[in-house]
Every structure is written in structure tokens, then in C-alpha cells.
Amino acid sequence: MKKTRTQSARTAPVAASSADNNDDVSERIRATLAAAIGEGALKPGTKILEEAIAEHFGVSRTVVRGALGVLESDHLLERKRNRGTFVAEPGIEQARNLFEARRKIEALLLELVVERATTEQLEALEKLADEEEHIHHHGDEKSKTVLSGKFHIVLAEIAGNPVLTEMLAKIVARLSLVMSLYEEDHKDDCGADHHRMIVAAIKEKDLTKAQQLMDSHLADIEGRVRLTEGHGDRHTFLSVLENFS
């Protein structure tokens, strides 16, 4: 009996280490897929191949499903009975709700930023806007999309409320699916000018102006999508034609 207990004590740390490793890999899988979805590499409706992911990361499909479960709870993936897991395809009403929620949260975050932002933080934001402008002229579409979203997340972090920052990050991620499905008017504009004006208003401690500029900026983004029945299906179908022709 003593031998069994000793063996159990010796094997327990190994089991714990294995579990920790699985958790680390699961997080890597989640982060990898989330980034691919956010940057448009995995389009709405794309089937997630569990076996390929398990083979690539060298883990069991159980570990993969754990990562997929987190992405499902974040509404980036959706499981369809007897068919598998797919990149989510937000409906029109859901898209409108996401846009509305983003407007409200960004307005609230600006209140906190105006109160709390340091000179150094605002200078960093200005540099980010400058980098956006450079990428706009010399970078690819992927770089533009990533950097534009980064500005809003950094702005949220300056507000100093991790809960609101997390909420905004998840909304922005879900809106990347909306843009992929419904965007019709893709302007050749990275938003650097808008961002720079918002930072200037924050520096002036002019909350009303900053919120008005942000609202106008977000309205510009919303204006690029066409939320009508069937448009998302048409967009997806055209993407397939482009890929295979």
C-alpha cells in the first residue's frame, strides 16, 4: 500500500506537467485560429479541420476541441450538428448589434482615456497613427487591417479597464467576420487621419469632440457594409469563384 502511494506521489507532478503543457498548446491553437480569423485568412463558413490542427501541433483532438470550445464561446466559431465546426457567419441582426455595442463601448472608453491618459501614452498613439499612414502607402491589406484594429485596442488599454478592453477586443474580432461577409465598399483608407484627430482631441481634453470624431470614424466603417438578406451568401460565393477561377 505504501508503495502505491509513493508511486502516485511521484507520478502526480508528471501528470500536472502534462496538463499544463496541454493548456499551453490549447492557448496557442486558440490564438493562432483567432489571428487567422481576424486577419481574414480563415473566412466565414470555412470548415475547421480538427485532425490537421492536432497533427500540426502534435496534440490529441481532445486538446484541439478545448481550444475550439473557447472560440465557440467567443462566437468566432460555430458547431453544426453532424457536420463539424466552422468559422462563424454572423447574421444581419447580430452585425447591427455588434456595431451598436462597439459605438457605446468606444464612447465610454474615451471618457476614461481623457481622464487617465499620460503624455507618453498619447505620443505612442500618435506614433501608431504615423505607422498606419506608412503601411497605408507601402504595406499590404493584411498589415493595414491589423494595424487599424490595434489602434483601438491600444486606446482601450490606456483607459485602464481590462474588462472593457476585453469586451472591445472580442467585438472587434467578431466584426472582422461581419466585414468579411458584408463589406461592399472597401475604401483605400487606413483611418490614420481619423485616429490622429481623435488623439488631438484627447490631448485637448475635449471629450465631446473626441467622441464625435470616433462616432464619425466608426460610422465610416459601418458605411462600407451592406447588411441585406443574401448579400453575405453572395459575397461568400464570389470569394469561391475568385479562388477557383
Side-chain angles (χ1 to χ4, degrees), residues 126-153:
E126 284 183 325
K127 288 181 181 179
L128 195 55
D130 290 340
E131 189 178 348
E132 277 186 276
E133 190 167 23
H134 176 76
I135 291 292
H136 173 62
H137 294 296
H138 305 286
D140 55 23
E141 290 302 320
K142 173 184 171 182
S143 299
K144 294 177 190 177
T145 301
V146 171
L147 204 57
S148 181
K150 182 179 179 181
F151 176 90
H152 291 270
I153 300 304

Side-chain angles (χ1 to χ4, degrees), residues 105-135:
I105 290 176
E106 296 242 31
L108 177 57
L109 285 166
L110 280 172
E111 288 185 27
L112 300 176
V113 171
V114 167
E115 291 176 7
R116 301 172 179 175
T118 65
T119 301
E120 291 76 15
Q121 288 173 325
L122 294 179
E123 286 176 353
L125 269 182
E126 284 183 325
K127 288 181 181 179
L128 195 55
D130 290 340
E131 189 178 348
E132 277 186 276
E133 190 167 23
H134 176 76
I135 291 292

Side-chain angles (χ1 to χ4, degrees), residues 21-33 63 67 70:
N21 181 62
N22 285 342
D23 288 343
D24 290 342
V25 177
S26 181
E27 172 54 24
R28 282 173 52 208
I29 293 170
R30 184 209 64 77
T32 298
L33 293 177
V63 175
V70 175

